Amino acid sequence: MALHNYLKVFNKILEHGVERDGKYHYRQLSAWHDFDGYTCFLSYKTLTMTIYFHNKYTIESSDRIARSEFENLIRKIARD
């Protein structure tokens, strides 16, 4: 999936989500960023995605089902 979809969803979570303990929560996803805003994070269940400044990202999860659900949720929110 293209990085711009993840960033679009990240922004939607910040815009529409509920802030709690430094993270924004929206439709089973959480989003937050580091102190300077250059590194962004998305999480879903046991999965954490880290988006870096120069169009790079990593996804940490050993759960293939969570990864599939995460991607489907990202697609759905990106289309909304």
Side-chain angles (χ1 to χ4, degrees):
M1 184 177 310
L3 182 61
H4 73 273
N5 287 319
Y6 296 113
L7 292 171
K8 183 177 182 179
V9 170
F10 179 86
N11 286 327
K12 281 187 177 188
I13 295 169
L14 293 185
E15 183 179 337
H16 301 291
V18 175
E19 194 271 330
R20 189 173 59 247
D21 299 325
K23 296 181 181 180
Y24 290 83
H25 305 275
Y26 179 74
R27 294 177 64 179
Q28 300 181 297
L29 293 172
S30 298
W32 67 100
H33 54 78
D34 64 356
F35 69 96
D36 59 8
Y38 285 109
T39 305
C40 302
F41 304 92
L42 290 170
S43 70
Y44 172 78
K45 294 185 178 180
T46 60
L47 179 149
T48 301
M49 176 181 200
T50 305
I51 304 171
Y52 302 99
F53 181 63
H54 294 288
N55 295 321
K56 301 214 185 295
Y57 66 88
T58 60
I59 297 176
E60 296 176 28
S61 178
S62 59
D63 184 347
R64 290 185 309 187
I65 294 171
R67 173 82 183 248
S68 177
E69 292 171 347
F70 173 74
E71 296 293 338
N72 289 334
L73 193 53
I74 293 291
R75 282 187 197 91
K76 183 181 283 188
I77 294 172
R79 282 194 310 259
D80 292 347

